[in-house]
């Protein structure tokens, strides 16, 4: 068997090996990688830096894959010499390895401009996983960072550092950002958007030196000005790694020169990826490298035929909420170029197309990139646009602005980043049983790059997999078109603490009565109450802390913990009811007292005179714990359900939840307070407590699932609060516990709460504790305390908890 040695365990080299494995004959393959990691998706390093993905989530080929394919993987070894005559490579570990065929896939290195002091501590590049980890270690709230370079990579690095809490300045040599992909106007729109996120952008600054004594303290420019910085990231471009090519005597210009078959000037040495130059072009994007890999695999395995004829350059900025796309040649200078343009500074939308000979030559989209796939199709297919001239920027009404997925030929590329065609996706669906987007990503890698093809992948799944429709996730609202899960991830990873900020960056800037309350809940929950509260984002009930009735009056329900009250409280309730002529005083089904028909103007006075906390009967929050009499008075009682109920209510009251939460505690399985049809129930047994969750006895009737059986009341309370916080963090807004438990399954709920590792449980408890610390009785906000016992704050959780 022939020996194939691959130098470079990166995206291009390994993708090419994957293609080679599909052909015959087979090789004995050895891959050398200087990095110590298996092949990973380098594109997603920006997502790792921004906290959207974990480092362990971006691996492309696990160790198992190398093993299964009989590949010898040599990690952490840099190949320093190639002897083309004796056909050997030498590693920096001293090893010498012979080859019959050599594949050079060494990629690029960051370009370091002539700046004094680049070796100082605190100066970074952003190319690989180790760089990213090093940056993550230093990036903390309040740390000042400068990113030199306002291109794709620099901007992604800058935003990543900013969401980690750094104060970031982007320094760029040119007079506009991303000048390779955008014209001056587009760059201006982008700058405005980046600044609206809180990043500083300095243009036309020529960085001369890194300041500081051994350690970065700032940067200084040719004009004498300077900026403070503890972290400096250099992201000004890349330089193909061609040294090995030179050592092997290959023809090298900027990159290692290859022909249309990906052959170098040596018959047994091939090259692929960012280290090569084809027709004078060195590509710095993944899609061209994958196309090259397919051609190379055919050539090296003796199936020479397919040619690499160059790729359309396209780029998309991967910063959540900053939509920028650019493809092809957007210059206006070439003879016969028509420019079609639209711009709206208020919306931050800029679109420009260049058309030559009736065909699309280039496209720039800023602020709205929905049509990028359509333009890519036109560019790749060199479509004659004569008939569509009136609809170049805006598709005709009713027309699908995306690709017509049904009419698309199988050879068309759906995922530009990973070079996955429609045919490959359909094959995966039919032959590998793929029927979800997650499976499609894993199987084909489609939609794992910049994410702009996700909609098309979903359309294909919908068209080919009959049951896919039901699985499709719903976006929260057209104002901010993300699923709730995604929104929680965005708010968390991008450190967004207000509804308005979320709407401005990721939505239409306005919001509506559907998305605003949901976003308001999410920021409250994610930041444990430490957020910028926007009362106008709440429902009317939440704004007035009372439940509006059909005649416009309100109902007032004070908190009566565990349904246990006192003569004094009852007297105050009666006094208030008489004084304010409350038309109806009603005992509710939840063991509370409801004052119905209260005028809005009387609300603050009533709260003050009642001297009881709000029962949150009007909001998506903790309602009550219904209890039975338990051991105190009932002859069947085996557990103290009244005390357990009061304690549970004290621990959770005043907190907001995705939907209302009703609870119950009973002293024996006779279940007099119906705990088994409550969102959370504690059911006393002889010597144990059962904690049950997800019950319902309203529009839907559902017996709660058993979460866990424990011995003591304290353990039962702990388990109930773990579930409570898990529900708060993971349920969709307006999803009751019974739908939530059914959706995620009780097994998963158990795994993630009562059976979760200690650290996970501690995390849930700590966040609950923080929320509780900042939670206030809503009625306290509306009135000065007038009654001595009014709004007495409950003891801090720590006192009663552990
Ligand atoms: C943060 C970031 C974001 C990006 N975003 C995008 C994007 O959105 N879209 C896009 O299309 N592209 C993007 N890119 C570019 C894309 O990742 C690269 O085009 C692609 O990874 C290049 O693949 P490659 O295999 O040629 O090089 P690499 O992936 O760099 O792999 C080369 C490997 O070879 C190793 N190596 C080098 N020399 C030796 C040697 N002598 N001995 C042993 N090993 C050696 C290197 O350590 C490296 O692991 C991004 C890049 C970065 C850094
Ligand atoms: S549930 Fe059991 S303990 Fe509670 S009141 Fe009913 S019978 Fe008594």
């Amino acid at each position: 068997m022939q020996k194939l040695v691959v130098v470079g365990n990166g995206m291009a080299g390994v993708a090419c090996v994957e293609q080679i494995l599909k052909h015959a004959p087979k090789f004995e393959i050895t891959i050398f990688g200087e990095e110590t990691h298996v092949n990973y998706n380098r594109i997603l390093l920006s997502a790792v830096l921004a906290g959207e993905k974990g480092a362990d989530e971006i691996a492309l080929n696990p160790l198992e894959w190398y093993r299964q394919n009989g590949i010898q993987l040599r990690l952490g070894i840099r190949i320093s010499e190639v002897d083309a005559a004796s056909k050997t490579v030498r590693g920096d570990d001293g090893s010498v390895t012979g080859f019959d065929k050599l594949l050079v896939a060494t990629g690029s290195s960051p370009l370091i401009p002539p700046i004094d002091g680049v070796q100082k501590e605190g100066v970074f590049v952003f190319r690989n996983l180790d760089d990213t980890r090093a940056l993550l270690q230093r990036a903390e709230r309040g740390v000042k960072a400068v990113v030199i370079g306002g291109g794709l990579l620099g901007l992604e690095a800058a935003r990543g550092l900013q969401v980690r809490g750094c104060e970031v300045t982007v320094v760029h040599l040119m007079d506009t950002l991303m000048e390779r992909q955008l014209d001056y106007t587009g760059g201006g729109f982008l700058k405005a958007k980046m600044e609206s996120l809180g990043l500083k952008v300095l243009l036309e600054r020529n960085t001369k030196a890194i300041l500081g004594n051994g350690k970065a303290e700032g940067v200084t420019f040719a004009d004498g000005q300077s900026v403070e910085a503890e972290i400096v990231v250099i992201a000004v471009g890349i330089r193909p790694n061609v040294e090995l090519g030179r050592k092997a005597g290959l023809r090298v210009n900027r990159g290692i020169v290859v022909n249309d078959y990906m052959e170098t000037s040596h018959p047994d040495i091939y090259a692929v990826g960012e280290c090569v130059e084809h027709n004078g072009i060195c590509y710095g994007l993944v899609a061209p490298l994958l196309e090259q890999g397919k051609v190379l695999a055919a050539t090296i395995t003796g199936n020479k035929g397919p040619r690499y004829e160059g790729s359309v350059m396209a780029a998309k900025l991967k910063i959540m909420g900053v939509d920028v796309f650019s493809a092809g040649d957007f210059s206006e200078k070439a003879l016969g170029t028509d420019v079609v343009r639209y711009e709206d500074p208020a919306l931050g939308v800029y679109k420009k197309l260049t058309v030559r000979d009736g065909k699309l030559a280039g496209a720039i989209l800023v602020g709205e990139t929905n049509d990028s796939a359509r333009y890519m199709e036109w560019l790749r297919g060199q479509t004659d646009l004569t008939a569509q001239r009136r609809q170049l920027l805006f598709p005709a009404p009713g027309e699908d602005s995306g690709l017509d997925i049904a009419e698309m030929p199988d050879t068309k590329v759906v995922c530009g980043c990973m070079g996955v065609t429609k045919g490959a996706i359909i094959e995966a669906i039919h032959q590998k049983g793929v029927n979800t987007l997650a499976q499609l990503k894993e199987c084909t890698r489609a939609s794992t790059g910049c994410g702009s093809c996700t909609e098309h992948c979903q359309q294909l799944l919908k068209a080919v997999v009959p049951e896919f429709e039901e699985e499709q996730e719903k976006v929260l609202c057209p104002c901010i078109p993300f699923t709730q899960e995604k929104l929680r991830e965005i708010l968390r990873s991008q450190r967004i603490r207000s509804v308005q900020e979320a709407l401005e960056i990721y939505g239409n800037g306005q919001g509506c009565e559907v998305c605003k309350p949901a976003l308001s809940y999410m920021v409250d929950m994610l930041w444990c109450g430490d957020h910028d509260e926007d009362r106008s984002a709440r429902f009317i009930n939440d704004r007035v802390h009372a439940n509006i009735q059909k005649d416009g009056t309100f109902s007032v329900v004070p908190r009566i913990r565990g349904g246990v009250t006192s003569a004094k409280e009852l007297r105050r309730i009666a006094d208030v009811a008489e004084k304010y002529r409350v038309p109806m005083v009603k005992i509710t089904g939840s063991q509370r007292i409801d004052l119905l028909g209260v005028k809005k103007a009387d609300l603050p006075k009533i709260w003050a005179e009642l001297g009881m906390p709000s029962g949150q009967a009007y909001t998506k929050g903790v309602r009550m714990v219904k209890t039975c009499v338990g051991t105190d008075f009932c002859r069947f009682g085996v557990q103290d359900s009244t005390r357990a109920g009061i304690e549970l209510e004290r621990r959770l009251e005043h907190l907001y939840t995705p939907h209302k939460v009703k609870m119950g505690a009973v002293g024996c399985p006779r279940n007099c307070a119906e705990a088994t049809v409550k969102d959370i129930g504690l059911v006393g047994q002889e010597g144990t407590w059962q904690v049950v969750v997800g019950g319902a006895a309203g529009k839907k009737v559902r017996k709660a699932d058993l979460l866990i059986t424990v011995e003591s009341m304290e353990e039962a309370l702990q388990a109930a609060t773990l579930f409570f916080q898990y529900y708060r963090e993971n349920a969709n807004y307006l999803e009751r516990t019974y739908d939530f438990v059914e959706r995620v399954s009780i097994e998963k709920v158990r795994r993630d709460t009562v059976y979760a590792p200690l650290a996970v449980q501690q995390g849930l408890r700590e966040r609950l504790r923080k929320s509780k610390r900042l939670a206030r009785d809503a009625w306290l906000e509306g009135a000065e305390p007038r009654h001595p016992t009014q709004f007495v704050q409950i003891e801090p959780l720590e006192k009663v908890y552990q």
Side-chain angles (χ1 to χ4, degrees):
M1 207 185 269
Q2 286 215 317
K3 285 187 184 145
L4 169 66
V5 167
V6 182
V7 184
N9 184 40
M11 293 184 78
V14 177
C16 181
V17 170
E18 284 180 349
Q19 295 297 323
I20 290 173
L21 293 170
K22 292 184 182 164
H23 288 274
K26 302 282 178 236
F27 290 98
E28 200 181 299
I29 303 174
T30 305
I31 301 181
F32 287 95
E34 191 183 1
E35 292 183 68
T36 50
H37 316 284
V38 292
N39 179 35
Y40 59 86
N41 192 339
R42 199 174 298 280
I43 295 183
L44 294 179
L45 288 179
S46 313
V48 173
L49 186 62
E52 293 153 22
K53 290 237 179 290
D56 50 345
E57 289 175 75
I58 65 168
L60 285 172
N61 301 77
L63 270 180
E64 196 49 32
W65 175 85
Y66 295 89
R67 247 182 249 128
Q68 276 169 359
N69 290 291
I71 296 167
Q72 222 200 335
L73 179 63
R74 309 283 308 279
L75 291 181
I77 297 174
R78 177 179 178 76
I79 296 299
S80 48
E81 299 294 335
V82 182
D83 188 334
S86 68
K87 288 193 166 181
T88 54
V89 292
R90 175 184 291 273
D92 59 3
D93 61 340
S95 64
V96 177
T97 310
F99 64 83
D100 297 301
K101 307 268 183 204
L102 178 67
L103 173 52
V104 182
T106 46
S108 307
S109 298
L111 194 69
I112 307 293
I115 298 175
D116 282 348
V118 289
Q119 73 295 339
K120 286 185 182 157
E121 198 202 319
V123 181
F124 297 87
V125 290
F126 184 34
R127 174 72 196 177
N128 60 37
L129 204 44
D130 291 342
D131 301 333
T132 313
R133 286 193 169 129
L135 270 170
L136 284 174
Q137 272 193 347
R138 288 293 303 272
E140 276 174 19
R141 187 159 287 278
V143 167
K144 292 193 170 64
V146 160
V147 176
I148 304 175
L152 276 166
L153 207 60
L155 294 178
E156 289 178 13
R159 178 63 177 156
L161 290 173
Q162 193 205 15
V163 299
R164 296 277 168 186
C166 298
E167 292 166 25
V168 187
T169 306
V170 177
V171 173
H172 195 48
L173 182 64
M174 312 305 284
D175 61 353
T176 180
L177 292 175
M178 280 179 64
E179 73 284 351
R180 290 201 188 165
Q181 291 86 12
L182 300 179
D183 62 3
Y184 192 78
T185 313
F189 273 68
L190 173 60
K191 178 169 179 274
K193 183 74 194 181
M194 297 304 287
E195 285 171 340
S196 78
L197 296 179
L199 284 146
K200 278 197 200 127
V201 178
L202 300 178
L203 298 174
E204 295 182 88
R205 296 294 202 290
N206 186 0
T207 310
K208 278 291 167 210
I210 315 282
L211 302 170
N213 189 7
K215 212 169 159 189
E217 287 173 13
V219 296
T220 177
F221 309 123
D223 62 7
Q225 291 182 16
S226 59
V227 175
E228 269 182 66
E230 295 143 81
I231 295 179
V232 179
V233 181
I234 300 180
V236 297
I238 51 173
R239 187 176 40 85
N241 290 328
V242 295
E243 304 80 12
L244 282 187
R246 284 220 174 87
K247 285 180 175 165
L250 307 180
R251 205 181 137 216
V252 174
N253 290 333
R254 188 161 175 261
I256 300 170
V257 177
V258 294
N259 63 16
D260 286 0
Y261 299 103
M262 305 307 295
E263 293 162 324
T264 66
S265 52
H266 188 290
D268 290 316
I269 303 182
Y270 304 80
V272 69
E274 280 189 356
C275 62
V276 309
E277 178 180 317
H278 174 264
N279 267 347
I281 301 176
C282 296
Y283 292 93
L285 295 166
V286 171
L289 318 182
L290 300 179
E291 288 172 40
Q292 293 172 357
K294 283 184 192 156
V295 171
L296 201 160
T299 309
I300 204 170
T301 54
N303 300 296
K304 192 167 170 176
R307 302 167 80 108
Y308 177 68
E309 286 165 347
S311 306
V312 175
M313 296 275 221
K316 188 172 183 288
L317 189 63
K318 305 190 299 300
I319 299 181
M320 276 196 207
V322 186
D323 296 322
V324 175
F325 167 82
S326 160
D329 174 10
F330 56 83
S331 83
E332 303 175 20
K333 289 192 185 131
L335 221 60
T337 304
D338 291 338
V339 181
V340 186
R341 208 191 309 258
Y342 165 84
E343 62 184 275
D344 184 334
L347 293 178
V349 175
Y350 175 65
K351 301 181 178 195
K352 170 174 151 180
L353 303 182
T354 47
V355 181
R356 253 171 245 145
D357 302 326
K359 293 171 189 155
L360 187 65
I364 290 177
L365 304 175
V366 181
E368 197 182 280
T369 55
N370 298 350
D371 287 331
S372 57
R374 193 161 66 115
Y375 297 141
M376 276 312 285
E377 266 318 294
W378 287 351
L379 277 168
R380 286 205 191 97
Q382 282 297 287
T383 312
D384 181 356
L385 299 176
T386 317
Q388 317 183 52
R389 201 61 206 227
R390 284 180 189 281
Q391 278 92 39
L392 292 185
L393 283 179
F394 303 99
E399 195 182 304
D400 181 359
S401 67
L403 283 175
D404 187 344
I405 213 84
E407 283 176 12
M408 199 186 201
D410 281 3
T411 50
K412 287 285 184 232
V413 174
V414 174
C415 172
C417 290
M418 294 294 163
V420 188
T421 60
K422 174 184 170 185
I425 291 177
I426 292 184
E427 190 185 306
I429 294 172
H430 286 317
Q431 295 185 2
K432 304 203 174 131
V434 163
N435 54 22
T436 66
L437 186 64
Q439 288 169 351
L440 185 69
K441 283 182 179 180
E442 201 177 316
C443 187
T444 63
R445 295 194 184 133
S447 180
T448 58
C450 72
S452 54
C453 67
T454 304
E455 201 185 319
H456 291 136
C457 291
Q458 282 182 320
Q459 282 174 8
L460 265 173
L461 280 161
K462 202 167 146 188
V464 187
V465 183
E467 63 272 27
F468 183 70
E469 180 117 47
E470 282 152 36
E471 281 193 20
Q472 253 191 338
E473 289 172 317
K474 265 180 52 200
V475 298
L476 172 64
C477 170
C479 301
I480 184 157
F482 296 91
T483 62
Q484 292 203 37
E485 197 182 347
K486 186 78 191 165
L487 275 172
R488 286 194 291 272
E489 185 192 318
I490 289 174
L491 299 178
R492 185 182 292 117
S493 66
Q494 308 299 295
R495 308 272 205 279
I496 292 197
R497 285 173 190 261
S498 82
V499 172
Q500 202 46 42
E501 194 185 354
L503 284 167
E504 262 159 27
I505 302 175
Y506 301 102
N508 62 2
Q510 308 266 310
C512 68
E513 70 284 0
V514 174
C515 56
K516 285 171 89 176
L519 289 168
S520 176
Y521 168 71
M522 286 180 205
V523 288
D524 174 77
M525 177 275 297
L526 280 171
W527 302 111
C528 304
D530 182 13
H531 63 286
D532 302 330
E533 174 73 355
D534 171 9
R535 296 217 61 78
S536 69
R538 300 237 180 209
F539 285 129
I540 167 80
N541 286 358
D542 285 295
R543 297 206 293 268
V544 297
H545 311 308
N547 214 348
I548 193 158
Q549 305 296 303
K550 70 179 195 184
D551 62 354
T553 62
F554 289 84
S555 98
V556 170
V557 182
R559 187 166 290 287
I560 297 181
R561 294 184 191 114
V564 177
T565 183
S566 65
K568 276 188 185 165
E569 278 184 352
L570 287 175
R571 205 165 285 128
R572 287 208 299 275
I573 292 172
D575 287 348
V576 159
E578 259 179 18
K579 180 171 171 187
Y580 294 95
R581 296 170 194 231
V582 174
M584 183 185 272
V585 180
K586 181 154 191 345
I587 306 291
T588 72
S590 313
Q591 301 180 335
R592 305 204 283 186
I593 295 174
D594 195 350
L595 305 177
L596 287 147
V598 172
K599 291 191 208 85
K600 190 173 170 192
D602 290 337
L603 287 171
K605 290 177 273 178
I606 289 186
W607 299 336
E609 288 171 43
L610 277 175
M612 296 166 75
S614 151
Q616 284 185 290
Y618 49 83
T619 191
K620 312 298 170 214
V622 173
R623 291 289 168 95
M624 82 303 162
V625 185
K626 186 172 176 177
T627 63
C628 73
V629 289
T631 41
D632 275 358
F633 292 96
C634 176
R635 61 202 165 93
F636 297 110
V638 289
Q639 295 287 2
D640 188 353
S641 50
T642 314
R643 193 161 71 85
I646 293 175
E647 192 55 32
L648 186 61
E649 196 162 339
R650 282 158 57 93
R651 292 186 188 195
L652 304 182
E653 64 192 4
H654 305 320
L655 291 170
Y656 292 106
T657 42
H659 210 306
K660 56 188 166 190
V661 171
K662 297 181 166 190
M663 294 172 279
V666 289
C668 86
R670 284 180 179 76
N671 197 22
C672 294
E674 300 123 7
T676 53
V677 285
K678 294 282 183 269
D679 294 292
I680 301 177
L682 306 182
V683 183
Q685 316 269 323
E686 192 69 59
T688 59
W689 284 90
Q690 285 186 342
V691 181
V692 295
V693 296
K699 195 163 73 179
K700 180 167 173 175
V701 179
R702 182 178 192 270
K703 184 170 183 289
D705 293 313
L706 177 65
L707 180 68
I708 195 168
T709 303
V710 289
E711 286 182 4
S712 68
M713 182 195 294
E714 184 51 35
E715 286 170 297
L717 291 167
Q718 297 269 0
T721 47
L722 274 183
F723 169 79
F724 175 81
Q725 181 65 9
Y726 180 69
Y727 164 65
R728 292 184 80 217
E729 293 183 6
N730 294 287
N732 290 328
Y733 188 65
L734 298 186
E735 186 176 35
R736 285 292 295 264
T737 58
Y738 43 84
D739 289 327
F740 172 66
V741 170
E742 276 185 6
R743 177 167 66 83
V744 300
S745 87
I746 186 66
E747 290 78 16
K748 180 165 165 54
V749 171
R750 283 191 199 117
R751 272 200 308 276
D752 293 350
T753 56
V754 288
Y755 297 151
L758 214 58
V760 174
Q761 295 191 1
Q762 274 165 352
L764 284 165
R765 286 204 184 99
E766 183 45 47
R767 291 189 293 278
L768 176 64
R769 214 175 272 143
K770 187 170 175 213
S771 296
K772 187 71 182 165
R773 236 184 341 251
L774 295 175
R776 289 284 172 270
D777 176 4
W779 287 358
L780 203 58
E781 294 170 20
E784 289 294 312
R786 292 181 198 169
H787 190 283
T789 60
Q790 187 201 354
F791 306 140
V792 177
Q793 277 297 308
I794 49 133
E795 283 176 55
L797 192 63
E798 288 89 320
K799 279 205 182 162
V800 291
Y801 204 58
Q802 280 177 346

